[in-house]
């Protein structure tokens, strides 16, 4: 299926493994399952057709954290880990930069924004730069839309019954 020494540049996530295995087996992917089959990326002809226009170039990472009263005394250090949301994009046919937005909803001043195409080591936080305010807003809106699609705001103790974080 894949020729030796083939390099595939598209990002796949751990949530894509189960849909891919189901696809290999010829089974339907249940609608409640996150992720998509990356089988089209394994075939050179399909990859050329699919990758530039259809394959997702973004993903979210969410750490929902724990409330202090939800953990035992022995695990209290875990409760201090901040709830964290990350929105990672890739270049999109020249329309969007390779960027990463990290937000800690309980600590707005910790927001981080990096242009990974210019700063792959994430050394220059652009979140407070006026020049990058439009990019920050765009990424926040994309992340909010994605999180709402996954109902993650409703699952998070930080957002339960509250407005969106921005």
């Amino acid at each position: 299926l894949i020729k030796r020494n083939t390099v595939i540049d598209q990002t796949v996530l751990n949530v894509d493994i189960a849909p891919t295995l189901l696809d290999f087996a010829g089974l339907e992917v249940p609608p409640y399952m996150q992720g998509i089959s990356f089988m089209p990326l394994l075939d050179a002809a399909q990859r050329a057709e699919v990758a530039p226009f259809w394959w997702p170039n973004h993903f979210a990472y969410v750490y929902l954290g724990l409330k202090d009263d939800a953990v035992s005394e022995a695990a209290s250090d875990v409760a201090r880990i901040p709830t964290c949301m990350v929105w990672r994009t890739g270049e999109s046919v020249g329309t969007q930069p390779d960027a990463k937005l990290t937000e800690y909803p309980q600590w707005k001043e910790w927001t981080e924004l990096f242009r990974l195409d210019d700063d792959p080591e994430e050394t220059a936080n652009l979140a407070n730069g006026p020049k990058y305010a439009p990019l920050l807003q765009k990424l926040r809106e994309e992340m909010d839309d994605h999180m709402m699609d996954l109902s993650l705001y409703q699952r998070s103790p930080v957002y339960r019954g509250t407005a969106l974080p921005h």
Side-chain angles (χ1 to χ4, degrees):
L1 190 60
I2 304 173
K3 292 183 180 175
R4 185 180 206 136
N5 297 321
T6 298
V7 174
I8 299 172
D9 291 324
Q10 287 69 36
T11 301
V12 296
L13 306 174
N14 60 341
V15 296
D16 298 329
I17 295 171
T20 303
L21 294 174
L22 290 171
D23 198 4
F24 267 119
L27 300 171
E28 288 287 320
V29 177
Y32 58 82
M33 185 176 282
Q34 292 183 34
I36 55 176
S37 171
F38 56 83
M39 270 188 46
L41 299 179
L42 303 180
D43 177 81
Q46 287 185 50
R47 184 171 55 251
E49 181 179 318
V50 170
F53 306 105
W54 175 80
W55 193 257
N57 67 342
H58 58 269
F59 64 90
Y61 164 84
V62 180
Y63 177 77
L64 297 180
L66 300 169
K67 287 186 172 181
D68 283 321
D69 59 356
V71 295
S72 69
E73 186 71 33
S76 63
D77 285 345
V78 175
R80 293 188 196 111
I81 298 172
T83 297
C84 169
M85 302 182 319
V86 179
W87 183 245
R88 171 74 163 80
T89 67
E91 288 187 56
S92 177
V93 194
T95 62
Q96 179 163 304
D98 194 7
K100 178 179 168 187
L101 169 64
T102 304
E103 293 197 310
Y104 301 86
Q106 296 165 316
W107 295 276
K108 301 283 188 215
E109 66 276 9
W110 292 5
T111 297
E112 298 174 329
L113 174 65
F114 299 102
R115 286 276 312 258
L116 300 175
D117 46 355
D118 296 331
D119 181 19
E121 301 297 321
E122 299 179 16
T123 59
N125 184 0
L126 307 172
N128 294 318
K131 175 180 174 184
Y132 295 98
L135 177 61
L136 180 65
Q137 183 61 33
K138 182 179 189 310
L139 295 179
R140 280 181 167 159
E141 289 170 3
E142 289 176 4
M143 182 166 61
D144 285 346
D145 289 347
H146 188 75
M147 298 298 183
M148 291 301 282
D149 286 347
L150 297 177
S151 300
L152 288 172
Y153 285 134
Q154 289 81 3
R155 292 185 210 156
S156 169
V158 175
Y159 298 115
R160 214 170 277 137
T162 65
L164 293 178
H166 316 297

